[in-house]
Amino acid sequence: MSEQQTLWQFMSMESDKLLNQTLQHIGLTFISLLFAIAIGLPLGILIARKRKLSGTILGIAGVLQTVPSIALLGFMIPLLGIGAKPAIVALLIYALLPIIRNTYTGIIGIDKHITEAANALGMSKLQILLKIELPLAMPVILAGIRTATVINVGVATLASYIAAGGLGEFIFGGISLNNTNMILAGAIPAALLAIILDALLSIIQRLDFKKLRRILTAFPVALVLFSALYILPSAYGSGLKAGFTPEFMGRQDGDLGLKSAYGLKIQTVVISDAVMYQAAYSKELDVISGYSTDGRLKAFDLKILKDNKGIFPPYYAAPIVLQSSLKKLPGLEDALNLLAGKITDSIMTDLNYRTDYLHQTPTQVAKDFLIKNKLYKTPRNGNMGTVKIGSKIFGEQYILAEIYSMLIKGNTDYQVETKTGLGGTKICFDALVNNQIDFYPEYTGTGLLAILKPDAKLVTKISSDRDETYRYVRAEFLKKYNIKWLKPIGFNNSYALMMRQKQSAQLNVNTITDLKNYLDKN
Amino acid sequence: MIELKQVSKKYGDTIAVNKVSFKVEEGENLVLLGTSGCGKTTTLKMINRLIEPDGGQILINEADVLQQNPENLRRGIGYVMQNIGLFPHYTIEENISVVPKLLKWEKKKTADRIYDLLKKLHLPENILQLFPSQLSGGQQQRIGLARALVANPAILLMDEPFGALDNVTRSKIQEEFKELEELKRKTIVMVTHDVLEAFELADRICLMDRGEIKQIGTPKDLLFKPANDFARKFLDGQRLALEFKVIKISDLWPNLPNAANNDAKALNPAMTIWSVMEMLSSKGTTELSFVNKNDERKVVNFNELSKAFNEYKKHLQP
């Protein structure tokens, strides 16, 4: 009961955002649907006329459908930038197949005697299409539109990855911030939206011909009206545009801190960490929230703005392990601690640079690193049990997971199973708590702010001192979750605001205060 | 008037219609008869260009159909098909109004014409707001006919128009069809595989096999002057019934005994043997009397009828 209360409280507290995101979500879904119909319907008609083309066109639409949505959004950025355009194009690509296929099936499924009669009465080809074929195929076409709508409501959640808004902002923000209420505040409206739209369209689909005709004239009007709901996030006066990850948006050492400590007011969109650097490089964004050790910093020629008020304290990275796993797998702790203190900030940045920019595989980078530091040993191929390693979904974590994997194989008789690419802090941490993985590399700041969430007073007291933070999370994790923080790996990772080198020099913006002053002036 | 000159149609290597030529006079009813696959339907559909011929010429009132806009051509030709092909999403009224709408008739004119047709086809007015699926098969076929007739086309093409109906409904609609004044003025080309139907409705029959015309002539020609073995064998199964349907009392006139009395209910000798026999067996009477234009009177019973019929056939043998 209390859980529901808090969800309700969260939703009413964030009702402005929720309404805005829901409208954006509906808008995105319908704009892309509108375009998908505008393209899919004529294509479906075309292949119903020229059946030889049907295999090719349905094949292409089918292949497009199988491209993973995140990958598709990634492909769009160099072509269309970030924001609404690429999101709409990606959504329309997913909606295309059901619409083309159902238009085609609907038309070729019409009793051929009916079209022959229409022909024999002297109707023109266009009249036959508009008055006979499309109305008779309409229930099947509507079924296709219905499928496309439900797909779109689902895929539109991913639009928040590329700063196009929608309910995905809450969902992915919630996953990153380990905030169940936030996830549900996005997921429940999205699910309801899918169910309601599905039900509405199923009613239209089952109407008899007479009523259908009247509804069908209203349908395009409704489509356009819904599309108009999509209003881009309102802009502040300045010309600069920021892209922050959903996690950054909700953290005290993130957007909240920027607002309270610096009073920074900048036009902000929510965007996935995976595409953020690329977007900054291609001038879609001017300011982004990155990680201080990220290799793409070097790769994309970005500059860290100095945090002159110290809202991004440095945090240690260290593996966190289930106590039960340490007991079950003796020798594991020693193997993991081999890495303690070995990776400094500059080494981590370099390792990240190798994967992000030189496109070496994490395995290769990990092996090279270990050999260089004389830590590499040939795998023992032992059979004493299996260690399950987890990692979050960004580059640094893949490399760390590989390094740990090699250390375990070379120094113990365990086999290794890696579960890399776990979506966010919540997914990773839940996997650990539920014994799906034995350990993963975590950051003390995330442990403090996203998992433990102590009150603000305590946070300000301890978060300025990284050793104090480490001691606090170590003690609390052991007490609360029976999870042990091993020795820090050495590097500090923290959030950082970044700009393009060139722009920073041009505007003479070197610190966050510079940025605020620049924004206030313009 | 319709004229086909050396019309051919090929599908790949198979010749569906091979150099077919015939003329249909104004007001005439020509029936294309043959087994399935003989090319009769293809021939019919080439007349309104539902199928485009590969060779030859088709003239309607001396104008080449291939030179005309196909849509305009079809709007001027009624078309009735076996599967009826009513539009399931149109009401009956909308179904019948298709061609008048295409021809941009005034609403009043269309409505008047539809009511006129409904009356002639014995259909209730409240049927107009229904959808085709709410009608019986016989009603649907009548609507199909109404749709073809509504714009008063001079020509009517019918593709197995009674093929989808059960036997009882079919003979009833065939009767109505024969009685319909509208149809008597029209030039009709009709396709059927049913020999009895062809003999019942045709002025002339065009017998086809494997894309070629085997014989073209009146029902009597086909029966008594078969042009070849195919024509003879095609009718063999139902020969006697066909003869009864074709031969009239007037044909047997000389062989029938004169009547002594002056029966006031004397009948017209244009009746076929078939219908006379039906009357004799149903009315419970043993005799029927006839009177011709010259006021000659004859009397007929079963015995006399079969005797005269045999005499008549003996005459026909060469």
Side-chain angles (χ1 to χ4, degrees), chain A residues 113-114 116-124 127 131-132 135-136 209-210 213, chain B residues 45 50 71 74-75 79 81 83 85-90 94 98-99 102 147:
Chain A
H113 296 109
I114 291 171
E116 188 187 274
N119 230 327
L121 291 175
M123 292 175 105
S124 69
Q127 286 167 327
K131 293 188 171 167
I132 309 297
L136 287 177
F209 289 120
K210 220 170 189 175
R213 253 188 263 171
Chain B
K45 287 182 180 174
L50 284 178
E71 278 111 46
R74 290 175 197 142
R75 286 170 199 173
Y79 189 78
M81 55 202 273
N83 298 74
L86 293 180
F87 303 147
H89 57 310
Y90 277 25
E94 289 166 327
V98 170
V99 180
L102 291 172
R147 183 173 68 174

Side-chain angles (χ1 to χ4, degrees), chain A residues 216-238:
Chain A
L216 278 182
T217 41
F219 189 65
V221 181
L223 212 56
V224 173
L225 277 180
F226 277 131
S227 302
L229 286 179
Y230 189 72
I231 312 149
L232 279 168
S234 53
Y236 292 94
S238 91

Side-chain angles (χ1 to χ4, degrees), chain A residues 473-489:
Chain A
V473 292
R474 191 183 147 96
E476 287 295 310
F477 267 58
L478 215 48
K479 202 165 72 192
K480 271 196 182 156
Y481 308 111
N482 231 352
I483 288 170
K484 185 171 181 183
W485 284 78
L486 300 189
K487 289 180 189 162
I489 302 167

Side-chain angles (χ1 to χ4, degrees), chain A residues 46-90:
Chain A
L46 175 78
I47 59 175
R49 290 275 181 278
K50 301 198 185 326
R51 305 261 171 103
K52 275 184 196 159
L53 290 177
S54 66
T56 321
I57 290 189
L58 288 175
I60 293 171
V63 167
L64 286 176
Q65 187 95 16
T66 62
V67 178
S69 13
I70 275 292
L72 192 63
L73 290 171
F75 289 143
M76 294 292 161
I77 293 182
L79 301 173
L80 296 166
I82 56 165
K85 264 188 280 174
I88 289 168
V89 173

Side-chain angles (χ1 to χ4, degrees), chain A residues 261-475:
Chain A
Y262 287 95
L264 189 75
K265 271 188 194 161
I266 186 164
Q267 182 194 344
T268 308
V269 293
V270 178
I271 188 166
S272 153
D273 146 82
V275 297
M276 184 172 63
Y277 294 90
Q278 168 84 40
Y281 179 67
S282 55
K283 299 183 185 170
E284 296 288 341
L285 296 173
D286 302 301
V287 180
I288 59 169
S289 63
Y291 295 104
S292 56
T293 55
D294 201 297
R296 285 170 292 191
L297 198 60
K298 202 165 156 188
F300 290 123
D301 206 17
L302 300 173
K303 178 188 172 135
I304 294 181
L305 299 183
K306 195 160 180 278
D307 174 23
N308 50 317
K309 290 192 180 170
I311 61 159
F312 303 137
Y315 295 120
Y316 284 124
I320 60 172
V321 201
L322 282 177
Q323 282 283 48
S324 58
S325 300
L326 288 175
K327 252 174 232 153
K328 200 174 65 193
L329 306 162
L332 176 64
E333 184 166 359
D334 292 337
L336 297 182
N337 276 338
L338 284 173
L339 198 62
K342 287 287 188 312
I343 303 180
T344 62
D345 285 6
S346 58
I347 293 176
M348 195 67 243
T349 310
D350 180 58
L351 296 181
N352 282 330
Y353 176 71
R354 284 166 194 258
T355 51
D356 290 341
Y357 192 67
L358 304 176
H359 301 300
Q360 294 172 355
T361 62
T363 318
Q364 187 61 45
V365 173
K367 199 171 171 182
D368 289 348
F369 168 79
L370 287 175
I371 289 171
K372 204 175 148 196
N373 288 277
K374 305 202 169 58
L375 286 169
Y376 186 76
K377 286 183 185 164
T378 37
R380 292 202 216 160
N381 289 321
N383 200 14
M384 299 285 288
T386 305
V387 181
K388 286 170 284 181
I389 309 178
S391 90
K392 297 188 192 176
I393 198 162
F394 55 91
E396 177 173 301
Q397 292 253 334
Y398 287 106
I399 300 172
L400 291 175
E402 283 300 333
I403 291 177
Y404 281 126
S405 163
M406 287 172 192
L407 284 175
I408 292 166
K409 282 181 190 161
N411 292 291
T412 70
D413 284 318
Y414 303 127
Q415 296 186 335
V416 171
E417 199 180 301
T418 49
K419 302 202 170 177
T420 51
L422 299 173
T425 299
K426 179 172 175 55
I427 293 173
C428 239
F429 186 70
D430 283 351
L432 184 66
V433 169
N434 293 306
N435 209 3
Q436 298 298 305
I437 53 176
D438 294 307
F439 77 93
Y440 75 93
E442 186 54 282
Y443 308 89
T444 52
T446 307
L448 179 71
L449 295 169
I451 298 171
L452 292 173
K453 297 179 202 162
D455 55 52
K457 243 198 256 167
L458 188 65
V459 171
T460 37
K461 202 181 117 203
I462 61 171
S463 70
S464 54
D465 182 339
R466 59 189 179 199
D467 290 316
E468 183 136 356
T469 309
Y470 178 74
R471 279 194 293 276
Y472 178 78
V473 292
R474 191 183 147 96

